[in-house]
Amino acid sequence: QGNWKSAIATRLTGARRRVGMLRERWREGAAARLCNEFPAPDALGPHAVEPILSLVRWLAPDHAPGAPGDFHLGLSEAESKAGALELSERFPGLRPECAQAVGPRPVLLHLGCPDNPRSWPVAHFGQVAKQLAKAGHLVLVLSGPAEASQGRQLAAELAGESGITHWPDQRDLRQLAAFFSAAAQGGATLVSADSGPMHLAWASGLDVVLIAGPQDARATGPWAPSGSHQVLQSPDFPCMPCLKRTCEVAPGDSFAPCMAAVTPHQVLDAIASK
């Protein structure tokens, strides 16, 4: 990770060969002294995944992933089948083995926590869900344990809206990885702010529409050498990216202004362009 915490853990193993990622990419550079081997210098992009892949190529050159979708998620055959079954139950009629969905593609909306400045307003997600459903898309609103209350709230507000299903309080990351992998084969798109599930999605091969604000999407957005993902952000905030976990511009607001300024229309246009 390029910091003292992981470097000390590496040193305490007692291993004689201690390999760290490229020196230039350590966040706490002095900690690199606790490693004694580094990958050869290479021209790396700005994304945080790049130095990690450089390390993988150094250690196991025949096994480094080269693109999203090449990542081995370690899913068993049973888990993959369960993911395909989950997809067919939540999107009836969609076959995960089809690279192209018939008609408008399914869209997954991943909610965020209102106390996290990287989250997008729940009301915006609701507008996007309704407009996508009207356009014929199959829509799934997804929330994990931290966003479960928002997921249930939105499910109640959108009750009766055809074409929209809900999966609140989803807790199992292996289950989610299997579902994302099946959804990717079915041509689905994920809309999300910066989150763990967003990274799991692009690693599973899903197209991602990222709503960005406080974070630097060049470093921690979806890794996309193929250019299939889209990043949406408002141009009106010179403080971006601040990389902070508390918004200093509007500390009392539920959502950071730079995130709230990204409109549902921008998201709908991004999906329509795919």
Side-chain angles (χ1 to χ4, degrees):
Q1 294 173 313
N3 58 21
W4 278 107
K5 180 173 65 174
S6 55
I8 290 172
T10 301
R11 183 66 184 87
L12 290 175
T13 65
R16 284 188 284 181
R17 184 188 183 200
R18 301 183 301 279
V19 188
M21 69 179 182
L22 199 66
R23 284 177 180 271
E24 291 79 1
R25 299 299 286 270
W26 283 61
R27 287 186 285 127
E28 297 171 359
R33 291 179 295 178
L34 298 185
C35 294
N36 56 19
E37 184 179 334
F38 302 90
D42 197 2
L44 301 180
H47 201 285
V49 166
E50 299 283 347
I52 305 302
L53 288 179
S54 175
L55 178 61
V56 173
R57 285 191 289 268
W58 182 257
L59 293 170
D62 295 332
H63 300 284
D70 292 345
F71 285 76
H72 178 57
L73 301 177
L75 298 172
S76 67
E77 183 178 353
E79 287 173 319
S80 296
K81 288 182 178 178
L85 178 61
E86 188 83 53
L87 181 76
S88 65
E89 290 176 348
R90 296 189 180 276
F91 294 120
L94 180 68
R95 294 182 299 156
E97 66 271 15
C98 294
Q100 298 290 334
V102 177
R105 293 186 173 193
V107 180
L108 317 178
L109 306 178
H110 177 249
L111 304 182
C113 304
D115 58 347
N116 188 329
R118 295 174 295 178
S119 295
W120 201 47
V122 177
H124 286 11
F125 274 113
Q127 292 180 48
V128 168
K130 287 191 288 187
Q131 292 301 318
L132 287 173
K134 286 180 181 178
H137 291 273
L138 298 172
V139 181
L140 173 64
V141 181
L142 175 69
S143 57
E147 314 90 35
S149 60
Q150 285 74 36
R152 295 189 182 99
Q153 171 193 332
L154 196 55
E157 293 175 0
L158 299 179
E161 295 279 352
S162 62
I164 304 175
T165 57
H166 301 267
W167 191 355
D169 203 19
Q170 195 284 332
R171 291 175 174 265
D172 189 327
L173 286 179
R174 295 183 69 86
Q175 178 192 36
L176 188 61
F179 176 74
F180 279 169
S181 296
Q185 295 179 55
T189 296
L190 176 83
V191 178
S192 176
D194 189 6
S195 67
M198 182 275 292
H199 289 287
L200 186 60
W202 66 252
S204 302
L206 268 175
D207 280 348
V208 172
V209 174
L210 172 70
I211 303 165
Q215 79 278 27
D216 184 353
R218 296 170 301 173
T220 59
W223 184 61
S226 63
S228 61
H229 309 301
Q230 295 191 55
V231 175
L232 305 179
Q233 57 191 80
S234 171
D236 301 326
F237 295 86
C239 53
M240 299 189 307
C242 67
L243 307 182
K244 295 181 179 178
R245 296 191 176 274
T246 301
C247 179
E248 297 180 356
V249 174
D253 290 358
S254 298
F255 298 94
C258 60
M259 292 294 293
V262 178
T263 69
H265 289 295
Q266 287 177 265
V267 174
L268 292 168
D269 288 343
I271 295 171
S273 69
K274 287 188 172 293

